[in-house]
Amino acid sequence: MPLIGYARVSTEDQTPLPQSQALKSAGCVEIHEEQASGGNRARPVLARVLERIAKGDTLVVVRIDRLARSLSHLLEVIERLEAKGAFFRSLMDPIDTSSPQGKFTLQVLGAAAEFERALIRERTKAGLASARTKGRVGGNPGLRARDPAALRKVRLARQDGYMARLNETAQDWVPHVRRLRPDLAWEDVVRIVNGPLPRERQWTQSRLLRAVNAYVRDGFLPPTVLDRAGRRETDDRLPAIVAAIKGADPDITLQAICTRLEAMRERTPRGRTNWQPSSVKMLLERAEKLGLLP
């Protein structure tokens, strides 16, 4: 299984060389270095690593704090890896999610995180109740006074929070957007993105456009993905969609493509709702003639 190393330092005065050497000695075939604060979840290098990591890969760090400074962030990253069939290992901590012992440690950490969140909620409620009895008003004084500096600080914090939430779902939509736009219209891209996702994680077109604009603004996606989609002949639309599904997963079977198209509520060339592998095969052959397949 390929080992993918991630090394992080907080300031320019520090060097990631010792971490990189340890990761190389552990057998990492790739090592990604980043200079960023551990408290910042929106780290571009880490986001790209999590986007590109594949099934069977293992993300390796020297210590847990090189990846995350909070237990909640660590668990979020590991959940993303597990969703892709990948693993996590820390060289200096007893965590290796490819082993039963590592999974048990992770379960213990998850229980501890939930207990910590419950304690924080209770302390917050108690503190607010005590403040109210003493006549104190909560909130930011600068915001109540409409101070421009305070408003800007809150706006930037909200942007950071939004980018952090996008990074958690980037593997669901970024590869599709990068591969399909602007060749396909947004409505078709949204349907392809939502095809393998459970209902609670599906995107609307407006939400996806907002996310793409944010990634283009920060340089994570090229501006060309926002170009107007070219006009496509009606007969070419289904081959393009089938080619997009095949391009996302070259090993996908014809029957699996049928299932994906039915989930997208795409109708067959004859207007039927049930797809057959023979119809998909025909569309793939047409897509190849049109140059839509790699």
Side-chain angles (χ1 to χ4, degrees), residues 204-282:
T204 63
Q205 185 170 322
S206 60
R207 279 186 60 226
L208 184 62
L209 277 170
R210 183 189 175 200
V212 170
N213 273 284
Y215 261 45
V216 169
R217 182 194 64 222
D218 285 2
F220 297 152
L221 283 171
T224 53
V225 299
L226 294 173
D227 291 348
R228 182 184 293 272
R231 294 182 63 85
R232 185 179 294 278
E233 296 293 333
T234 304
D235 291 344
D236 293 349
R237 180 177 171 274
L238 281 175
I241 291 175
V242 172
I245 296 172
K246 181 71 172 178
D249 183 2
D251 297 327
I252 193 170
T253 64
L254 295 177
Q255 185 59 56
I257 295 178
C258 292
T259 302
R260 185 76 58 82
L261 290 168
E262 290 172 1
M264 293 166 58
R265 297 186 178 179
E266 281 289 346
R267 290 188 175 272
T268 70
R270 296 186 178 183
R272 297 172 181 170
T273 56
N274 294 325
W275 282 81
Q276 299 297 325
S278 57
S279 298
V280 172
K281 183 179 179 181
M282 177 189 68

Side-chain angles (χ1 to χ4, degrees), residues 139-171:
N140 187 317
L143 293 181
R144 290 201 301 269
R146 308 297 295 176
D147 177 64
L151 291 172
R152 181 175 181 275
K153 186 176 181 179
V154 170
R155 185 170 62 254
L156 291 175
R158 287 176 177 171
Q159 289 176 357
D160 287 344
Y162 177 63
M163 292 303 294
R165 292 193 297 274
L166 285 185
N167 291 340
E168 295 171 3
T169 62
Q171 76 278 2

